[in-house]
Amino acid sequence: MIPPDHPRYRSLVIREHLADCAKKGIVSWEGLTAHGRGEAFDYLIGEKTSRSALLAERTAAALLISAHHPVISVNGNTAALASEEIAALQRASGAVVEVNLFHRTEARVTQIEDLLRDAGVEVFSGEAEKLLPLSHDRAWCRRNGIFSADVILVPLEDGDRGQALVAMNKTVIAIDLNPLSRTARTANLTIVDELTRALPQITRACGELSAAECRNLAGSVDNDYLLSEAIREMTARLSHALD
Amino acid sequence: MIPPDHPRYRSLVIREHLADCAKKGIVSWEGLTAHGRGEAFDYLIGEKTSRSALLAERTAAALLISAHHPVISVNGNTAALASEEIAALQRASGAVVEVNLFHRTEARVTQIEDLLRDAGVEVFSGEAEKLLPLSHDRAWCRRNGIFSADVILVPLEDGDRGQALVAMNKTVIAIDLNPLSRTARTANLTIVDELTRALPQITRACGELSAAECRNLAGSVDNDYLLSEAIREMTARLSHALD
């Protein structure tokens, strides 16, 4: 048992939860490693939503609610960490939610879809085809889901697919704690924030933004600025670490 | 299967290997998350050995070959990632190799010892006693092994034990990608480099250093300088990342 007064209680509870999900097959073992990687970057941004991340989150909301066919792509870690937050964002944005996995088996897809449905998500399911120009299993998606999206939110993405989606002229919104990753740098808009902090902020903004704010935000996306701000915050924190 | 054309092929293959080792019980699930945290810091140092890390590695070699009773302490992640590199360093330095685990069971110790022996390591084994002043299982070691060491190399260490070993007046050499960790800050010498890059550099230096170089390096260890250099490199890389 993790004592609730432990200074890293929340982080330890999340790790334990992810390990349980790994034992059940929802999270891949590699997903645990990816989570550890995120933890390190979250530590460097001080484990809170920065001003620039909040701007990115509001911009993401603007892009999602202005889209013709917005899609949220969900993998194992995202489902394990934030099914309810995905459900709330779906209600606020009207986005299609589709499961897409790197370590893909039909059984795992079904298991994750069930977990999402239990949390209130309306999951876009059915026959998948190998439609994306990728050599691995993330190529598999649905013709009327991810393949047809104009705006796609990809939390915890692998860089390869991020690039493929951008090359298909989709507007790609990434949630990635590493501002140097290929995903962060190739996405049209990158939110450098932890998933369970980022999703509720996007959901809130979906309900708050006026049509004019929406146009303004969607029309002035500057990912280089957002990434450089995230990096500036990490740099400041690192350089004072030994003080 | 991970496609060999994936730009992060090596990193993904290592993750897969660690996941396999976790399924067999060699690596703990906490070890997978810890590996991910290391990956993030490796990213920040550019996934290469820096000048200051190379200095630390040559200094480590000097300390090991000048020691009366050098010991290399091996845990699950180290065995899974670098058994052969440990064998080579043992041949070059004459160090005793002993297994010491946080998540300790006799079965796991035996499994890891077997893995090391298969890679050519001469493992110091036999009856362990609870000899270190620690409340957890890393307290268990051998009287003529870790307990008697004057110089001890602790790759991928937990902060608690690092402090206990320093308090016992041992010269502690850590390999830790996080220059902010307790281990990195309490060790006498910290190598901020990835394990499978660091170990061969120490081994090479063991064969190259003259007696005079050895004396010079061992007599001028400055861990604060090494850590601040590592942080400076991370900061520089971060701040130029978007150039």
Side-chain angles (χ1 to χ4, degrees):
Chain A
M1 272 303 292
I2 300 157
D5 62 345
H6 193 289
R8 304 216 37 90
Y9 177 73
R10 187 163 182 277
S11 160
L12 294 173
V13 167
I14 289 171
R15 272 190 220 168
E16 195 169 63
H17 171 66
L18 278 178
D20 285 344
C21 288
K23 284 166 206 158
K24 288 182 201 152
I26 291 163
V27 165
S28 68
W29 289 95
E30 291 81 358
L32 293 181
T33 310
H35 181 72
R37 193 163 161 155
E39 279 185 344
F41 286 104
D42 199 18
Y43 176 79
L44 290 180
I45 59 168
E47 295 175 324
K48 59 181 182 356
T49 300
S50 67
R51 273 166 68 109
S52 60
L54 189 61
L55 172 62
E57 283 149 4
R58 291 175 67 81
T59 308
L63 291 171
L64 286 171
I65 56 184
S66 319
H68 294 293
H69 186 48
V71 173
I72 305 170
S73 176
V74 173
N75 68 2
N77 279 33
T78 301
L81 290 169
S83 285
E84 279 163 27
E85 289 86 345
I86 293 286
L89 178 56
Q90 181 177 47
R91 284 190 296 273
S93 66
V96 166
V97 173
E98 182 176 339
V99 172
N100 180 276
L101 304 177
F102 193 92
H103 300 277
R104 185 181 204 278
T105 64
E106 281 304 321
R108 244 193 109 209
V109 171
T110 304
Q111 207 175 3
I112 292 169
E113 288 180 346
D114 288 348
L115 190 155
L116 288 167
R117 285 195 189 96
D118 287 348
V121 176
E122 200 176 302
V123 180
F124 188 78
S125 189
E127 199 70 44
E129 299 168 67
K130 206 164 178 174
L131 293 172
L132 305 184
L134 291 167
S135 55
H136 51 74
D137 280 350
R138 294 208 95 165
W140 289 82
C141 65
R142 279 90 182 184
R143 193 167 287 279
N144 296 320
I146 287 170
F147 185 71
S148 309
D150 56 344
V151 173
I152 178 165
L153 174 65
V154 288
L156 318 183
E157 189 59 14
D158 110 288
D160 242 21
R161 196 175 67 125
Q163 286 178 321
L165 294 169
V166 168
M168 290 168 81
N169 281 320
K170 299 181 188 310
T171 298
V172 175
I173 307 167
I175 302 179
D176 192 333
L177 278 158
N178 177 2
L180 310 179
S181 76
R182 277 188 308 144
T183 299
R185 296 168 76 162
T186 55
N188 300 89
L189 173 68
T190 303
I191 298 165
V192 182
D193 200 3
E194 192 274 328
L195 185 67
T196 63
R197 291 195 304 267
L199 291 173
Q201 292 290 3
I202 306 173
T203 302
R204 182 169 311 132
C206 283
E208 280 176 7
L209 294 176
S210 69
E213 285 173 310
C214 238
R215 258 197 315 280
N216 277 345
L217 287 167
S220 60
V221 181
D222 184 349
N223 208 40
D224 286 347
Y225 166 77
L226 293 169
L227 293 181
S228 61
E229 277 298 292
I231 289 169
R232 198 185 52 71
E233 279 147 15
M234 289 185 186
T235 308
R237 197 176 150 76
L238 254 178
S239 51
H240 294 112
L242 292 185
D243 289 354
Chain B
M1 273 305 292
I2 299 157
D5 64 342
H6 194 290
R8 299 209 48 83
Y9 179 72
R10 185 165 181 277
S11 159
L12 294 174
V13 166
I14 289 172
R15 275 191 211 174
E16 194 169 63
H17 171 65
L18 278 178
D20 285 344
C21 289
K23 283 167 208 156
K24 288 181 200 152
I26 291 164
V27 165
S28 68
W29 77 260
E30 290 83 354
L32 293 180
T33 313
H35 179 74
R37 281 199 300 281
E39 280 187 343
F41 286 101
D42 198 18
Y43 214 96
L44 292 181
I45 58 168
E47 294 175 325
K48 60 181 180 359
T49 300
S50 67
R51 273 166 69 108
S52 60
L54 189 60
L55 172 61
E57 282 148 5
R58 290 175 69 81
T59 308
L63 291 171
L64 286 170
I65 56 183
S66 319
H68 294 293
H69 186 48
V71 172
I72 305 170
S73 175
V74 173
N75 68 1
N77 278 35
T78 301
L81 290 169
S83 284
E84 279 162 27
E85 289 85 346
I86 292 287
L89 178 56
Q90 180 177 48
R91 283 191 295 274
S93 66
V96 166
V97 174
E98 182 176 339
V99 171
N100 180 276
L101 305 177
F102 192 93
H103 301 278
R104 187 182 203 276
T105 63
E106 281 304 322
R108 242 192 111 208
V109 171
T110 304
Q111 207 175 3
I112 292 169
E113 288 180 347
D114 288 347
L115 192 155
L116 289 167
R117 286 197 188 94
D118 287 348
V121 177
E122 201 177 300
V123 180
F124 187 78
S125 189
E127 199 71 41
E129 299 168 68
K130 207 164 175 173
L131 294 171
L132 304 185
L134 290 167
S135 56
H136 52 73
D137 282 348
R138 293 208 96 164
W140 289 84
C141 65
R142 280 89 182 185
R143 193 166 287 279
N144 296 320
I146 287 169
F147 184 70
S148 309
D150 57 343
V151 173
I152 178 163
L153 174 66
V154 288
L156 318 182
E157 190 58 16
D158 98 287
D160 244 21
R161 195 175 67 125
Q163 286 177 321
L165 295 169
V166 168
M168 291 168 80
N169 281 320
K170 300 180 188 309
T171 299
V172 175
I173 307 167
I175 302 179
D176 192 332
L177 278 158
N178 177 2
L180 310 180
S181 75
R182 272 189 309 149
T183 298
R185 295 167 77 160
T186 55
N188 300 89
L189 173 69
T190 302
I191 298 165
V192 182
D193 199 3
E194 192 273 328
L195 185 68
T196 64
R197 291 196 305 268
L199 292 172
Q201 291 290 1
I202 306 173
T203 302
R204 183 170 311 132
C206 283
E208 279 176 5
L209 294 177
S210 70
E213 285 173 311
C214 238
R215 259 196 317 278
N216 277 345
L217 287 167
S220 61
V221 181
D222 183 350
N223 208 40
D224 286 347
Y225 166 76
L226 293 169
L227 292 181
S228 61
E229 275 299 290
I231 289 171
R232 199 187 52 73
E233 278 147 13
M234 288 184 186
T235 309
R237 193 176 151 78
L238 262 173
S239 52
H240 294 114
L242 293 184
D243 290 353

